[in-house]
Amino acid sequence: MNTATYAELAASSDHAVAVAIAFVGGLIVACALIWAVRVGMQVMDKDTHHPAPEEQPHLPDTGPVREMREMREPDDMPVVTREGQRLMPHELHHSSTRTGKDQKPRRWSPGSSGSFGGGGLGRT
């Protein structure tokens, strides 16, 4: 094909009609999508129950609930001697914790290193 053929195809009325049909088709699809979104929003507004202000959660009369800090200790496994009978899976209970006897939190001790391999002499 040469330039004259391209010019003749571009000037033909069939090309302009095809472009117009494609534009109108695209416009119809866009309008259909907009309509579907609006109908969907109306259906959601009718179906969904929006809670009234009195149905919203409120603070308790005593005020906001505060965080409680306590030191916990694990519920240890029972020790079984060599002569004793081993524990079976049905005899074990879920791992849980209980309030510790010592409620003083552990703190960094000045003579120890900060972490494993952190250098320093450690406790001496």
Side-chain angles (χ1 to χ4, degrees):
M1 295 184 131
N2 56 18
T3 311
T5 309
Y6 285 126
E8 184 179 336
L9 286 174
S12 72
S13 63
D14 294 339
H15 182 66
V17 171
V19 169
I21 291 174
F23 179 76
V24 170
L27 194 60
I28 290 172
V29 169
C31 290
L33 289 173
I34 291 171
W35 174 81
V37 168
R38 291 187 66 174
V39 168
M41 288 171 62
Q42 289 172 356
V43 168
M44 289 295 290
D45 284 342
K46 288 178 186 175
D47 288 346
T48 307
H49 169 70
H50 299 289
E54 55 272 357
E55 294 174 337
Q56 297 289 335
H58 298 287
L59 281 175
D61 294 335
T62 58
V65 178
R66 300 287 180 211
E67 175 181 306
M68 186 174 97
R69 295 187 135 202
E70 66 178 357
M71 300 301 294
R72 307 285 293 175
E73 58 185 33
D75 194 7
D76 295 327
M77 288 278 283
V79 178
V80 178
T81 62
R82 275 210 188 271
E83 299 83 30
Q85 191 174 0
R86 67 184 179 126
L87 289 174
M88 300 304 284
H90 66 274
E91 297 173 324
L92 298 175
H93 56 277
H94 293 295
S95 176
S96 62
T97 60
R98 61 183 181 276
T99 303
K101 295 173 187 159
D102 182 20
Q103 288 297 312
K104 184 178 179 187
R106 296 185 184 136
R107 298 287 181 206
W108 174 75
S109 131
S112 67
S113 66
S115 64
F116 177 75
L121 299 175
R123 290 187 187 199
T124 54

